[in-house]
Amino acid sequence: MTLTELYDAKRQEYVDTGKKEEPSKLLALLLLEKKEEFLPLEVEEGKFYHYYQEIIDKNIDKVTADFQFSDDDYKKLITEKLGYFEENSFEEDKLWQVFGEGIGALHWGLMYMTDKTGIDIYSYYFDENILLNKVKKIGGIK
């Protein structure tokens, strides 16, 4: 099983039921699948993001399109996280409040779990120790 297969299974679940996974987890699935393409930069997370901004933004766009997240969805998630929403900080809040954990999972995994697979990092970071069973339940593995 790959993280891409898990992402595809979550996308199919969304198509079938309308249930959306947390955007940060979806981003982490995409980024961690290609973790070998990233260097374990020992910098703060913001600098890590700026170094890989083009790749990360492309994957954020993919999550947004595949799961049809709207700006209103993101505003709601920001409000739930912060307790308020400010229009003038929407893009920054979307990045760090909605997708920050996905970026963090990759950055942290590259620095501290260098010998682990993307699946191992995802499972550990998001405490998904029954990852395989979840995939089986939503039809991702036959």
Side-chain angles (χ1 to χ4, degrees):
M1 172 190 58
T2 67
L3 292 171
T4 300
E5 290 170 332
L6 180 57
Y7 179 90
D8 291 343
K10 288 181 180 288
R11 184 166 185 265
Q12 188 59 51
E13 180 181 27
Y14 165 67
V15 169
D16 294 344
T17 68
K19 180 181 180 267
K20 295 180 183 182
E21 178 65 78
E22 290 178 37
S24 61
K25 289 184 176 184
L26 296 167
L27 178 64
L29 290 171
L30 295 174
L31 296 176
L32 286 167
E33 181 66 24
K34 299 175 183 174
K35 78 177 194 78
E36 290 76 25
E37 297 175 17
F38 298 90
L39 298 171
L41 303 176
E42 293 186 21
V43 296
E44 67 184 42
E45 211 158 276
K47 288 182 180 179
F48 179 84
Y49 165 73
H50 287 294
Y51 190 83
Y52 289 112
Q53 183 173 355
E54 187 176 330
I55 296 167
I56 293 170
D57 286 351
K58 179 181 167 190
N59 285 282
I60 287 172
D61 291 345
K62 178 173 176 47
V63 168
T64 299
D66 287 350
F67 289 81
Q68 299 176 334
F69 282 105
S70 66
D71 283 355
D72 287 341
D73 292 330
Y74 290 135
K75 289 173 184 179
K76 181 180 177 194
L77 290 167
I78 292 165
T79 302
E80 288 172 3
K81 191 105 176 214
L82 294 177
Y84 63 90
F85 171 76
E86 292 181 7
E87 191 69 47
N88 63 349
S89 61
F90 173 68
E91 289 301 325
E92 184 174 339
D93 287 343
K94 180 176 110 176
L95 178 66
W96 295 113
Q97 302 305 320
V98 177
F99 288 104
E101 284 190 67
I103 298 165
L106 173 66
H107 185 221
W108 178 85
L110 290 170
M111 289 179 52
Y112 301 109
M113 296 185 81
T114 56
D115 61 332
K116 301 295 183 188
T117 67
I119 291 173
D120 292 336
I121 295 167
Y122 181 89
S123 296
Y124 186 87
Y125 193 87
F126 292 106
D127 193 27
E128 302 262 349
N129 55 6
I130 54 170
L131 193 57
L132 185 58
N133 290 332
K134 287 184 176 187
V135 174
K136 285 180 182 175
K137 285 180 184 175
I138 58 176
I141 296 178
K142 302 293 182 223

